Amino acid sequence: MELQAVLMAAGGGSRMMDLTYNTPKPLLPVGNKPLIWYPLNLLERVGFEEVIVITTKEVQKMISTDPKVKLDVKMKLDLVCIQEDADMGTADALRHIQQKVKTDVLVVSCDLITDAALHEVVDLFRAHNATLSMLMSKAHEFTETVPGQKGKKKTGEQRDFVGVDGTGKRLLFMANEADLDEGVVIRKSIMRKHPRMHIKTGLVDAHLYCLKKSVVDFLADNKSISSIRGELVPYLVRKQFSKSTNSPKVIDETHQNLKKNDSNVNLEIQISSRDEELLHLTQERSCWNDHRGDMSDAYHGGRLRCYVHIMDEGICYRVNTEMSILPWSFSAYYLFTDNILPHSIIGASCQISDKTSIKRSTIGVSTTVREKVKVTNSIIMHGVTIEEGCNIQGSVICSNAVIGRGADIKYCLVGSAQRIEPDGEHTTMSKACSA
Amino acid sequence: MSSRGGKQKKGNVTSEQEEEEQPLQAVLVADSFNRRFFPISKDQPRALLPLGNVAMIDYTLEFLTSTGVQETFVFCCWMSNKIKDHLLKSKWCRPTSPNVVHIITSDLYRSLGDVLRDVDAKNLVRNDFILVYGDVVSNIDVSQALQEHRHRRKVDKNISVMTMVFKESSPGHKSRCEEDDVIVAMDSKSKRVLHYQKTQGLKKLQFPMNIFQHGSDEFEIRHDLLDCHISICSPQVAELFTDNFDYQTRNDFVRGILVNEEILGNQIHLYVTQDGYGARVSNLQMYDSVSSDMVRRWVYPLTPEANFTDQQGQGCTHSRHNVYRGAEVSLGHGSQMEENVLIGRDTSIGANCHISNSVIGNNCTIGDNVVLDRAHMWNNVHISSNVEIHQSVVCDGAVVKEAVRLNKQCYFSMLPVSQVVIGPNLSLPEGTVVSMHHPEEEEEDDDDEFLSDDQEVGHSKDKTRQKAFNPAEVGPEGKGYIWKASMNDTEDEELAQCLWGLVLNPDPESDSESEASEESQDRSRSVSPEIDDVNAFQLEVLGTLQRGLEENIVCDNLVLEINSLKYAYNITLKEVMQILTRVVLEYPFQQQGTQLTTLQYTGSLLPLLKTWSPVFKNYIKRAQDHLDCLSAVEELFLEQDTHQTAMVKVLMKMYQLEILEEEAILKWFSTGATNDKSRQLRKNQGLQKFIQWLKEAEDESSEEGE
């Protein structure tokens, strides 16, 4: 087994509270599939047979009991539960399962919907014997109005600055605009090694990482890191260019000593992947080099390397905010099955009366739609009742809501088990949870 | 021009077409405004130095002509007559030349800025023009860059003022000039320059955030660019130089435009060529690499055998391993020309010589058993037998006697200036410079602010002759002066850097440092304050006075100079006086160290006061000025408390010289005391006596008056 897949499905969905009030984020219906199905499907398609799923007790219970949540995957799921209230970050979760990690890992977040060719990321990881390789994509612009939010997407959001080398693969620099008060500062030695650096903004991080096993071990020793994206990745990117304590022999010797002493120094040594001896020999004898322009060794003798695959086209989307669920919910499912894109998706045991018009929408299990209802561009979750003569457009209706007769709802988010009064007219407002 | 005026009247329809048809113009600056090639450039302007046996300016002109320039303005300053003569004789001034060359000379140009201001004043350019130096060697076809430039100017009206031409070359490349080690931040799509910085000596590169806020989401930071010093400028560039009289170099200009982008709305773009060759011979390091690139045919079609200058007898043949031979070259038995060798016409080479990677000029004679490697010999050089020359420049008419060794890598020995004779039996260390000019001639000129090749030194010719050549330095039969023998002390190193440019340093410097140490460095760096204006002004005043003393400058001129400094640093009159007083009183310490006894101190100070009294008088006029001056004196002596006894003498002298008036002194003495220390100072016996004496004198004078 070359890679172990780890699926992070314990996040609470803090940025989409209205939706996750009584459905945990991994199980939110997107195209009548729970969100978690998409990364699982992604892994299954590339041939993984086993996945470690890190999740909460609640989700585990629902997966095993709730008939509405059909995962429909053949892979063996190894469900690992972590405590919900412990406020664990992704790196904490990875540390939690360190015992299970036998090889390098592929970490996927549960909210990722992508048709990316996963092998591109893994190939970078293999070809360069990288410590980290990750997936990013060009951001998509949405023109549709987002339910429950006035106006369009706020501008002036903090951007991520990602610096890659001339080939666009090697990750050289990573920072958030918020941390760059003094401007972008880059060491000259980095520029000497990689004279051409592309600084890109407007990329979506897919939160999909290939990590060396040594990184997981490193995490186990260094408890201060709690998030992969927030702390571990920037740390690794930075560490690429700091001087490593050189030859592997020295490392081995000092390894034992240091274990007792300063754990801080220990980290660096551990983390720089120790190339196997044979590999080292091949590199020495080979005339291959990863760069042009000077005569130094491949990778300039650095042992820690981070790579990124940036998708030019295709879908790469993260469902992590309320507004992000809508545009994809409808078409997502069909992208991953070979079915032809229909007008709408209707879940099982729905009651749909005559003279209704349902366009480009998903309707969940056990939903009742009465006569003369018009639904366009919307998501109706499970067990919703829509009374006669309603008009629903561009909205998300959460589970078990009841929409009163003749209501007119545009670009709204209706919380679960809400009752919308008859004949009401609602535009761009959020009917939040019952609380 | 008159025909153009006539056409324009016909209407707007033709004007657009016509703009395209206007002849392409170029401004060629045939002066470097620095002294990198000193002392060679003392006798020969840089633009005329031979590179591959052709004057450098010919390469530049050929480049311009081949790229489609039809009208070139050559601006000369230093030795303009020589350049003029050269150009008048060359093919550029023949009636058939496709490129009309106008020569404009003036001794007043001190920088590129002056040249462009003159371009603006004379209204020479009408359209986009190419700006180059007279020492640029290039085969880049800039027509595409020109097209892009024009397109940009058409699309958004006159926003882009300049397109800089760069060549791709990774750091560490031989032809990369360390001085021009630039880092450029650009917008990937629009090719717009957002940030331009020389990285020399920097460890961290900082890019301000505002450059990333231009709407684009992809930027590029490039360190693999070599500045070719070719720029396509719009006529606005000349105007901008006029508007901003502080712009001296193109660097100033680029920085100014980028910093003021939001205000002025001007932009600079770049054009990167991948396969062209372009480099500026800005120092000897570059001279060596460009010359070897030339011989290795990187600058094709400008190759030695092409004889593009179209001069009789300059032709040569090209055979394999890049060996070029001019007409009438004789080669002795057993001599080898290994590779990359260019030999000019009428040169004879003795037996058993080894020549590689070298350029030899016309009319040279080379003896037997000579080893030449990376040697650059100009015309009429005589090399005797058993000589070894490595990486050196041997200039016109130099004679190298038997068994001389010119070492070696890293730095060059250079024998500039005609008639230098070296040897026999001598080995010159690395980096030796031998010249017929005596170095001291130079020092006399060093004070000039505007370092340039163009210093007039004629007056000291006779003096030079009197100084004997040192046989230990240049050999028993040698003629010439050593400029600097070795690189031992730091001062020399600086000089060497100045002459040679910086050496390529293949080791990335900051690798070994841990991040932590760098951070701490950062902190310390940010703490250390800059020299503020007052301190800078004080240093300047000190310098002025020093020079005044050495060169016997009239006090009126010193006053003028201090006044101009006052404006330059924005100093108030009161501060001027305080600083002046302080500088003068500290002068003996400055010159002879702080260990002076009080007696020595007053001994050296009093004559100074006398010399500079007119300066003081100029600034100390009103009653308040007197008090300010006195308080400055007091302040200084409070600091130098060991020399307090000298204070009386100083005050006495100033009184005698009528710098200070007695009423002021008395008033100061009675009222000025504000704290314990100054009260203590006033209890000094000598001072008490002096005051007593002053009072009596006043009484007397008043009595007399009655």
Side-chain angles (χ1 to χ4, degrees):
Chain A
M1 193 166 53
E2 188 196 353
L3 277 169
Q4 274 177 296
V6 177
L7 181 64
M8 296 287 177
S14 54
R15 279 187 282 173
M16 41 201 299
M17 273 310 190
D18 293 345
L19 293 178
T20 56
Y21 179 68
N22 66 356
T23 316
K25 180 174 156 188
L27 302 179
L28 276 178
V30 176
N32 277 2
K33 287 278 179 191
L35 188 53
I36 195 175
W37 178 84
Y38 294 93
L40 285 174
N41 178 265
L42 176 77
L43 295 172
E44 196 174 55
R45 272 183 297 145
V46 295
F48 278 100
E49 290 173 348
E50 209 181 313
V51 185
I52 302 172
V53 181
I54 299 176
T55 188
T56 53
K57 285 235 165 63
E58 189 191 359
V59 175
Q60 191 196 22
K61 207 171 117 194
M62 284 175 82
I63 287 176
S64 49
T65 56
D66 199 330
K68 281 183 282 193
V69 182
K70 259 173 53 190
L71 278 183
D72 203 18
V73 285
K74 296 181 192 80
M75 287 185 296
K76 185 181 160 212
L77 300 185
D78 182 359
L79 291 175
V80 178
C81 294
I82 58 170
Q83 282 168 330
E84 246 175 300
D85 51 347
D87 192 27
M88 283 172 95
T90 40
D92 294 320
L94 208 55
R95 191 178 300 129
H96 185 72
I97 57 156
Q98 195 220 352
Q99 299 304 323
K100 288 177 184 263
V101 175
K102 303 282 186 280
T103 65
D104 302 338
V105 289
L106 175 74
V107 180
V108 191
S109 166
C110 75
D111 53 11
L112 175 68
I113 298 180
T114 180
D115 63 348
L118 211 53
H119 70 87
E120 301 260 23
V121 184
V122 181
D123 281 352
L124 279 177
F125 188 67
R126 291 172 179 149
H128 299 285
N129 194 17
T131 310
L132 160 79
S133 73
M134 58 194 288
L135 177 70
M136 287 196 185
S137 164
K138 296 228 164 80
H140 297 272
E141 297 287 325
F142 294 111
T143 46
E144 282 176 72
T145 317
V146 164
Q149 205 171 56
K150 276 175 192 156
K152 288 191 178 174
K153 186 181 160 189
K154 279 175 270 167
T155 47
E157 215 175 286
Q158 301 287 6
R159 296 176 295 174
D160 270 326
F161 282 70
V162 176
V164 292
D165 72 349
T167 62
K169 302 283 185 205
R170 180 87 186 251
L171 191 56
L172 302 175
F173 178 82
M174 197 176 216
N176 190 278
E177 199 165 6
D179 306 327
L180 296 173
D181 300 331
E182 293 176 8
V184 176
V185 179
I186 294 166
R187 290 222 306 274
K188 192 179 171 190
S189 56
I190 301 180
M191 290 312 297
R192 279 187 160 278
K193 289 172 188 164
H194 305 278
R196 206 169 164 178
M197 189 191 283
H198 295 269
I199 301 265
K200 303 193 182 203
T201 60
L203 292 181
V204 175
D205 183 356
H207 286 227
L208 182 148
Y209 312 99
C210 281
L211 292 168
K212 275 257 182 294
K213 179 172 184 298
S214 59
V215 177
V216 183
D217 297 340
F218 159 78
L219 279 178
D221 286 349
N222 190 2
K223 301 229 167 21
S224 64
I225 292 180
S226 77
S227 146
I228 294 183
R229 176 62 176 83
E231 292 159 69
L232 180 65
V233 173
Y235 176 81
L236 291 177
V237 171
R238 246 187 356 258
K239 272 280 169 264
Q240 288 182 100
F241 302 103
S242 49
K243 191 85 174 169
S244 61
T245 12
N246 275 325
S247 71
K249 270 188 189 171
V250 180
I251 291 172
D252 279 336
E253 280 167 29
T254 50
H255 199 65
Q256 283 122 18
N257 303 339
L258 284 168
K259 271 224 162 142
K260 299 166 211 156
N261 303 336
D262 189 6
S263 65
N264 232 342
V265 187
N266 200 359
L267 316 173
E268 283 168 36
I269 295 162
Q270 263 191 15
I271 208 160
S272 49
S273 53
R274 264 174 289 155
D275 297 339
E276 297 91 65
E277 250 176 64
L278 272 178
L279 211 75
H280 212 70
L281 201 66
T282 8
Q283 231 175 56
E284 237 167 61
R285 305 243 163 125
S286 146
C287 59
W288 178 84
N289 206 329
D290 71 319
H291 62 270
R292 298 182 57 193
D294 61 26
M295 302 298 281
S296 47
D297 296 344
Y299 307 115
H300 299 274
R303 298 173 160 278
L304 207 156
R305 301 182 275 275
C306 300
Y307 286 84
V308 61
H309 173 66
I310 297 172
M311 295 168 63
D312 278 332
E313 46 192 29
I315 295 155
C316 176
Y317 206 74
R318 291 191 64 222
V319 182
N320 53 3
T321 56
E322 280 153 16
M323 59 182 181
S324 60
I325 193 167
L326 193 72
W328 292 104
S329 61
F330 176 64
S331 46
Y333 173 77
Y334 285 91
L335 287 166
F336 300 102
T337 53
D338 291 331
N339 300 350
I340 297 157
L341 200 65
H343 283 301
S344 294
I345 308 164
I346 313 289
S349 54
C350 280
Q351 292 183 355
I352 303 211
S353 315
D354 296 339
K355 294 179 188 167
T356 57
S357 138
I358 298 172
K359 284 179 189 161
R360 294 169 44 73
S361 301
T362 42
I363 295 186
V365 178
S366 326
T367 292
T368 314
V369 180
R370 304 257 186 258
E371 285 162 4
K372 290 179 190 163
V373 168
K374 217 172 152 189
V375 180
T376 34
N377 267 340
S378 298
I379 305 170
I380 316 288
M381 294 189 183
H382 308 303
V384 176
T385 310
I386 301 174
E387 299 287 356
E388 278 176 20
C390 287
N391 187 5
I392 298 170
Q393 190 185 341
S395 301
V396 179
I397 315 286
C398 293
S399 306
N400 304 323
V402 178
I403 312 293
R405 176 190 299 261
D408 192 359
I409 298 173
K410 277 179 189 162
Y411 307 111
C412 286
L413 193 140
V414 178
S416 44
Q418 279 288 305
R419 286 190 151 273
I420 300 289
E421 297 303 317
D423 297 321
E425 205 170 287
H426 306 280
T427 47
T428 49
M429 59 124 204
S430 178
K431 266 280 167 183
C433 338
S434 45
Chain B
M1 285 238 272
S2 59
S3 68
R4 176 178 158 259
K7 266 187 197 172
Q8 266 191 342
K9 281 173 197 162
K10 282 179 190 170
N12 290 334
V13 188
T14 47
S15 71
E16 232 174 73
Q17 270 187 331
E18 196 213 337
E19 237 168 66
E20 299 284 314
E21 285 162 18
Q22 272 189 4
L24 182 58
Q25 296 175 309
V27 169
L28 192 157
V29 184
D31 200 315
S32 57
F33 306 115
N34 64 37
R35 344 176 122 187
R36 288 288 144 68
F37 278 84
F38 223 73
I40 307 177
S41 54
K42 211 161 187 169
D43 299 283
Q44 189 93 322
R46 189 197 286 188
L48 295 187
L49 300 184
L51 185 117
N53 294 343
V54 175
M56 291 203 270
I57 196 169
D58 288 331
Y59 290 102
T60 317
L61 282 167
E62 179 70 26
F63 153 70
L64 290 174
T65 309
S66 65
T67 208
V69 173
Q70 286 166 290
E71 193 175 10
T72 307
F73 300 98
V74 179
F75 286 84
C76 323
C77 182
W78 168 233
M79 296 207 144
S80 49
N81 288 336
K82 275 200 169 188
I83 299 177
K84 205 167 180 174
D85 288 348
H86 175 87
L87 290 177
L88 288 175
K89 270 188 270 170
S90 73
K91 73 167 183 177
W92 314 111
C93 286
R94 290 179 201 162
T96 52
S97 168
N99 184 1
V100 183
V101 173
H102 306 278
I103 303 165
I104 297 162
T105 62
S106 165
D107 290 337
L108 297 173
Y109 301 141
R110 292 290 182 209
S111 68
L112 177 71
D114 292 336
V115 170
L116 284 170
R117 278 185 274 276
D118 203 34
V119 168
D120 188 42
K122 292 188 172 138
N123 212 357
L124 294 174
V125 294
R126 301 180 292 273
N127 210 336
D128 296 342
F129 64 97
I130 298 176
L131 175 67
V132 284
Y133 279 99
D135 44 13
V136 168
V137 176
S138 168
N139 63 358
I140 297 170
D141 183 5
V142 294
S143 52
Q144 176 156 12
L146 203 65
Q147 219 172 340
E148 284 176 19
H149 178 79
R150 283 180 178 153
H151 177 71
R152 270 195 288 268
R153 299 213 9 114
K154 211 177 241 175
V155 169
D156 30 46
K157 284 280 171 243
N158 297 348
I159 281 181
S160 173
V161 290
M162 188 191 255
T163 301
M164 299 201 276
V165 177
F166 287 94
K167 182 184 102 168
E168 211 168 76
S169 97
S170 45
H173 191 276
K174 189 164 62 85
S175 72
R176 221 177 133 105
C177 176
E178 198 75 351
E179 286 168 69
D180 281 332
D181 203 25
V182 292
I183 193 132
V184 178
M186 60 182 258
D187 188 319
S188 301
K189 280 174 204 134
S190 64
K191 299 252 167 61
R192 204 178 120 201
V193 179
L194 302 171
H195 187 78
Y196 176 90
Q197 190 180 15
K198 296 204 174 188
T199 64
Q200 191 187 316
L202 291 176
K203 271 186 181 159
K204 285 192 165 180
L205 308 165
Q206 200 164 6
F207 304 92
M209 278 317 275
N210 61 333
I211 66 169
F212 297 108
Q213 262 135 19
H214 289 291
S216 169
D217 58 358
E218 214 176 313
F219 307 95
E220 235 174 294
I221 296 175
R222 299 192 66 161
H223 191 42
D224 62 342
L225 297 177
L226 172 69
D227 194 345
C228 301
H229 289 273
I230 301 167
S231 10
I232 300 166
C233 307
S234 63
Q236 272 164 287
V237 171
E239 289 162 24
L240 282 165
F241 266 97
T242 310
D243 293 346
N244 299 280
F245 55 87
D246 55 329
Y247 289 173
Q248 294 298 322
T249 60
R250 195 185 67 160
N251 213 24
D252 293 342
F253 174 78
V254 172
R255 291 195 72 97
I257 292 291
L258 294 181
V259 169
N260 297 323
E261 196 253 309
E262 276 153 38
I263 305 164
L264 299 170
N266 292 321
Q267 299 179 348
I268 294 178
H269 290 80
L270 54 75
Y271 173 80
V272 179
T273 173
Q274 262 137 6
D275 40 14
Y277 186 91
R280 181 175 173 211
V281 182
S282 48
N283 54 38
L284 283 177
Q285 190 95 35
M286 288 298 283
Y287 179 85
D288 179 44
S289 33
V290 173
S291 176
S292 66
D293 286 343
M294 163 74 51
V295 172
R296 289 178 172 85
R297 308 178 75 78
W298 285 106
V299 203
Y300 185 86
L302 303 185
T303 52
E305 88 278 11
N307 190 17
F308 59 85
T309 53
D310 200 21
Q311 269 168 354
Q312 285 267 304
Q314 268 291 1
C316 57
T317 59
H318 174 223
S319 42
R320 68 191 176 127
H321 303 306
N322 291 332
V323 173
Y324 306 84
R325 285 199 222 191
E328 311 282 324
V329 168
S330 77
L331 189 65
H333 180 73
S335 282
Q336 277 185 352
M337 296 192 283
E338 285 184 357
E339 51 172 4
N340 308 317
V341 178
L342 167 61
I343 298 177
R345 86 187 112 88
D346 299 323
T347 288
S348 68
I349 295 170
N352 296 319
C353 293
H354 247 266
I355 303 174
S356 56
N357 306 313
S358 299
V359 175
I360 300 172
N362 302 331
N363 285 319
C364 295
T365 46
I366 292 173
D368 301 337
N369 300 316
V370 172
V371 177
L372 300 178
D373 183 41
R374 295 184 70 183
H376 303 274
M377 283 188 228
W378 298 358
N379 300 331
N380 306 316
V381 173
H382 292 264
I383 308 269
S384 307
S385 302
N386 303 316
V387 171
E388 259 186 63
I389 300 181
H390 299 277
Q391 257 200 344
S392 303
V393 180
V394 183
C395 300
D396 283 347
V399 177
V400 181
K401 297 269 181 186
E402 270 174 42
V404 171
R405 228 184 116 87
L406 302 189
N407 290 336
K408 166 205 170 189
Q409 275 97 53
C410 194
Y411 288 106
F412 294 63
S413 316
M414 66 177 187
L415 309 172
V417 181
S418 47
Q419 294 103 36
V420 166
V421 181
I422 297 288
N425 299 320
L426 189 74
S427 174
L428 290 181
E430 293 174 12
T432 313
V433 177
V434 184
S435 168
M436 282 306 276
H437 294 290
H438 198 277
E440 279 170 22
E441 291 171 23
E442 206 29 55
E443 279 162 23
E444 287 157 15
D445 286 342
D446 268 352
D447 297 320
D448 199 299
E449 275 180 63
F450 305 100
L451 282 185
S452 173
D453 289 339
D454 46 86
Q455 296 305 315
E456 207 56 63
V457 223
H459 65 91
S460 50
K461 276 263 155 76
D462 303 326
K463 223 183 340 177
T464 322
R465 289 283 136 78
Q466 292 159 10
K467 289 169 189 160
F469 305 115
N470 184 353
E473 286 176 345
V474 291
E477 295 167 30
K479 290 179 187 169
Y481 303 100
I482 294 277
W483 273 55
K484 54 187 171 57
S486 65
M487 308 277 138
N488 288 340
D489 35 31
T490 48
E491 220 173 287
D492 277 352
E493 218 159 286
E494 271 167 34
L495 222 164
Q497 280 196 344
C498 189
L499 283 164
W500 292 103
L502 293 163
V503 197
L504 276 183
N505 179 12
D507 299 320
E509 53 303 296
S510 62
D511 257 14
S512 50
E513 286 169 54
S514 71
E515 280 182 12
S517 76
E518 270 189 19
E519 270 161 33
S520 67
Q521 264 187 351
D522 274 7
R523 232 167 283 138
S524 67
R525 211 178 299 152
S526 63
V527 167
S528 73
E530 281 178 49
I531 298 183
D532 58 316
D533 281 352
V534 175
N535 283 348
F537 176 75
Q538 186 169 344
L539 287 175
E540 291 276 5
V541 169
L542 178 65
T544 308
L545 292 179
Q546 242 167 356
R547 201 150 34 81
L549 210 58
E550 283 160 15
E551 296 172 18
N552 246 333
I553 296 176
V554 196
C555 284
D556 283 350
N557 290 348
L558 288 180
V559 169
L560 264 180
E561 215 160 304
I562 292 175
N563 275 342
S564 65
L565 287 170
K566 167 181 176 293
Y567 290 114
Y569 290 96
N570 197 14
I571 301 286
T572 62
L573 203 61
K574 187 179 166 187
E575 280 173 310
V576 171
M577 191 157 50
Q578 285 169 339
I579 289 168
L580 181 72
T581 314
R582 174 166 274 267
V583 167
V584 171
L585 295 186
E586 279 179 343
Y587 196 81
F589 298 119
Q590 193 76 35
Q591 297 298 304
Q592 297 161 39
T594 46
Q595 309 303 325
L596 286 177
T597 64
T598 310
L599 211 59
Q600 281 171 321
Y601 172 73
T602 47
S604 54
L605 181 68
L606 296 183
L608 289 176
L609 280 175
K610 187 161 192 234
T611 333
W612 287 328
S613 63
V615 181
F616 278 103
K617 280 180 191 160
N618 185 67
Y619 289 104
I620 303 174
K621 285 178 179 154
R622 295 167 301 152
Q624 186 58 40
D625 299 340
H626 288 266
L627 288 180
D628 287 338
C629 175
L630 279 164
S631 63
V633 173
E634 181 187 342
E635 196 182 323
L636 182 107
F637 279 102
L638 282 175
E639 279 171 34
Q640 303 278 354
D641 43 6
T642 49
H643 296 300
Q644 274 181 8
T645 43
M647 186 176 173
V648 190
K649 287 187 178 160
V650 172
L651 289 179
M652 185 72 184
K653 189 78 189 172
M654 288 173 103
Y655 172 69
Q656 282 170 352
L657 290 169
E658 296 175 357
I659 299 172
L660 295 174
E661 289 170 4
E662 54 185 61
E663 292 107 49
I665 299 177
L666 291 174
K667 191 174 177 202
W668 162 78
F669 185 79
S670 52
T671 60
T674 47
N675 54 21
D676 284 350
K677 266 197 175 173
S678 51
R679 262 189 282 280
Q680 196 70 37
L681 186 82
R682 280 172 178 69
K683 282 180 187 150
N684 183 306
Q685 258 194 349
L687 190 62
Q688 297 264 11
K689 268 186 192 167
F690 173 62
I691 297 296
Q692 194 65 37
W693 179 78
L694 272 183
K695 276 183 183 163
E696 280 166 13
E698 192 186 23
D699 290 345
E700 271 171 31
S701 64
S702 59
E703 275 166 27
E704 273 170 27
E706 281 165 11

